[in-house]
Structure formats: structure tokens, C-alpha cells
Amino acid sequence: EMLDEADVNRPARGFYHPADCFLVDKLVEAADQRGVYLQLCFLDRDLYMGALKDPKSAQYQQAIRDAKRTVRYAAARWGYATSVACWEYVNEMDPGLPTDLFYDELGKHFEQVDVFRHLRATSAWGHSPKDWRHARLDVANAHHYLRPSSKEGFKDEVAVILGQTRFLQKNTRPGKPVLMAEFGLADDKWGLSPYMKQDRELVHFHNALWASALSGAAGTAQFWWWEQLDRQDAYRHYKPLAAFLADIPFTTGGLKDASAAVVKGELRPVGLQGSDRAYLWLFNPQATWWNLVADKAVPSEVR
């Protein structure tokens, strides 16, 4: 209902719509009750992009002042909540704009007004290493979709997840958490892929969840097509993964990419290793979503 009720196309900055804010209140409360942690996005990129072209311009400075007021409002209204894991300034900003000063000023303002020092992040519609390396952005977010024309690949979701995670880690500050904050199966126009409904067992979803959870990223890939996943009861895929991950010492185990290999290459081990043990998911490369859903192939047994 939130998407139906909220009007995201208001033409002016500086106005807070009471009904929208109430909806966010309820969202934050529900997340608190259910142990869900949010990356809460609160600025509308379309109200800011036109003003962020020149850091020396009056328009740029006014955008900073307006955004600071919204930062102050968000921190005052929702900063109490443990369910707000991270503030996300903007969803899919233009990565070509000179936004370093903008995020620096907002980051400094959060340090003054957010007494609980929540994490801060943003996102762009393409790769944005300047954001990933920014000292006042605490999480490096990337968005990526499996599309037929993608040069990174389309048919092997596990290889794509691992490749995108490595690229993200390579282009950010050492030790900064990275997150695939949008992911999914799309067509070349960024719409819902016609293959999505064919994937009744949600093979691409299952495989991407496990690969991302053990990739060294800070969390699993965040799938965009939530309404379709809801219809297909995707939630059943989370429980076994959560059980597997429950006792992995992500913050204390000194974990790094596992160096495991499989004789004859019949399986692809994906995982992390510490000083005395490894946590591995063994993936059969014959079981990619393309092989099972599009080609209707049946993987051979691996003994």
C-alpha cells in the first residue's frame, strides 16, 4: 500500500507529507517487531539531480541546505529505531554527477544530529567507485541485474554475483562493507524478465542468495521483484540459509575467500575460511537457472 499511497513526484523540496511520514513510522515499527533491518532511503533523486551539477553554484549549495533539513528531520523522527540499520540518501543517483561534496556535507550533519550514529550509504544507477570510496559513506552499495545484453553475463547467476562482489570490493576502501543492494532477473529494458514466472522453483533466487551470503559481502543480494517473489513464496528459501549462517563468526573469525578446489571441476565451492575451518556451499555448475529453466536440462549426478 505504501507505494500506492505515496506521491514521489512532488515538484518541490522542503515539504514533508504527513501521510507518507506516518507510513514510514508504521514500516519502521513493523520492522522493529519482526527483527528486520532497513536501509531507509529518504531523499528523492529527481528533486536533487538538476541542482548537483556544479559544487560552486548557488543551486548546489541550496540543495545541500535542503537535504540537511531532511537529514535532521529523518534523524529526529526515525533515528530512535534499531530497525534502521542504515540511512540511504538516494536511490540510483546519476553516477556522473559531482556528488562528493554533497555526501560529505550530509555525512558531517548526520554526525552532529544522529546520536546513535547509524551507517550511511547511497546508490547510483551504474558503477560509482567514488561513492564506494567516500569516507562518509559507510556501506558500498551496488545494483546489478541479470539481463541478456549484460557484458558481465546472464546465464550463470553464481559467477555474476561473485564477479560483481569482487569488483565492488576492489574499488572501495579496505574493510568497508559491500552490499548488492538491488539484484534480479530483468529484460534489456530493465523490466521484469519473462523468464521470472517460468522459474517456478526460483532457481536463480536460491543460487544468488547462497552465493552472495558466502561471497564476502555484508549480506545477501537484495532482490528487486518483491511482488513476484511474494506470489511465488520465496521466503521458504531464507530459512535453511539462515540456519547455515547462524554460527559463522563473520566479525570475529578472520574470514577470507576459501581456497578450496574440487578435483575434475565437477562442483564449484563457494565460501569463506578462517584459521581452523571453512564454510562452503558446493554448487553444481549444471544447475544454473538458465540450464534448468530455459534449457530444461537435468543435471547429472555428482558422486
Side-chain angles (χ1 to χ4, degrees):
E1 292 180 0
M2 185 170 182
L3 289 177
D4 293 334
E5 297 290 340
D7 175 8
V8 298
N9 298 309
R10 291 186 196 93
R13 300 193 297 258
F15 296 90
Y16 310 122
H17 194 274
D20 292 357
C21 293
F22 174 74
L23 287 169
V24 178
D25 289 343
K26 304 311 288 184
L27 176 67
V28 168
E29 290 168 13
D32 259 336
Q33 293 167 5
R34 290 165 176 79
V36 173
Y37 296 92
L38 306 170
Q39 187 165 265
L40 190 62
C41 185
F42 62 91
L43 296 178
D44 182 352
R45 72 172 186 202
D46 294 333
L47 296 182
Y48 285 88
M49 283 195 299
L52 296 177
K53 297 177 181 179
D54 179 6
K56 297 180 180 179
S57 69
Q59 292 92 338
Y60 197 107
Q61 296 303 316
Q62 185 61 49
I64 289 175
R65 288 191 291 271
D66 289 344
K68 279 184 176 179
R69 284 193 285 270
T70 309
V71 161
R72 177 71 182 86
Y73 188 86
R77 186 153 185 164
W78 301 298
Y80 76 90
T82 55
S83 59
V84 178
C86 182
W87 304 111
E88 183 181 8
Y89 295 116
V90 179
N91 180 62
E92 296 203 341
M93 176 63 79
D94 180 349
L97 291 175
T99 51
D100 278 358
L101 176 62
F102 184 68
Y103 294 135
D104 194 53
E105 290 294 319
L106 299 192
K108 286 190 288 188
H109 197 57
F110 257 133
E111 289 161 15
Q112 296 170 1
V113 301
D114 181 6
V115 296
F116 294 115
R117 298 297 294 271
H118 294 77
L119 300 174
R120 301 155 298 182
T122 194
S123 64
W125 64 52
H127 287 155
S128 190
K130 72 179 190 302
D131 294 341
W132 303 341
R133 292 190 289 262
H134 198 292
R136 283 194 162 91
L137 293 170
D138 304 304
V139 180
N141 280 343
H143 294 179
H144 187 80
Y145 289 84
L146 299 167
R147 298 184 303 133
S149 64
S150 173
K151 64 180 181 180
E152 289 84 10
F154 171 62
K155 298 180 179 181
D156 187 336
E157 62 276 34
V158 174
V160 171
I161 282 284
L162 296 178
Q164 289 295 299
T165 302
R166 301 292 174 269
F167 181 82
L168 190 54
Q169 291 170 325
K170 183 179 178 180
N171 286 280
T172 190
R173 289 170 172 260
K176 179 181 282 192
V178 305
L179 192 64
M180 190 62 63
E182 280 188 26
F183 192 75
L185 192 57
D187 61 27
D188 280 333
K189 295 183 178 179
W190 308 101
L192 177 65
S193 170
Y195 289 109
M196 184 79 175
K197 292 181 180 179
Q198 296 179 40
D199 190 0
R200 294 183 178 86
E201 297 301 316
L202 292 170
V203 175
H204 75 286
F205 177 74
H206 167 89
N207 290 345
L209 279 182
W210 280 83
S212 56
L214 294 167
S215 68
T220 55
Q222 308 294 296
F223 277 76
W224 177 253
W225 308 114
W226 61 85
E227 73 283 13
Q228 187 62 36
L229 293 171
D230 187 69
R231 294 186 193 108
Q232 294 182 253
D233 189 26
Y235 311 108
R236 57 194 164 89
H237 290 276
Y238 284 107
K239 189 172 183 178
L241 177 60
F244 183 84
L245 300 177
D247 61 350
I248 297 180
F250 283 105
T251 58
T252 60
L255 302 178
K256 60 182 181 180
D257 289 339
S259 56
V262 177
V263 176
K264 298 181 182 179
E266 293 179 318
L267 292 175
R268 185 188 305 164
V270 177
L272 304 165
Q273 66 184 59
S275 59
D276 64 343
R277 67 195 63 200
Y279 305 89
L280 301 173
W281 174 55
L282 301 180
F283 173 65
N284 183 349
Q286 299 178 53
T288 62
W289 80 269
W290 180 264
N291 287 351
L292 271 60
V293 176
D295 283 348
K296 311 294 188 213
V298 177
S300 58
E301 185 180 67
V302 178
R303 290 184 172 275

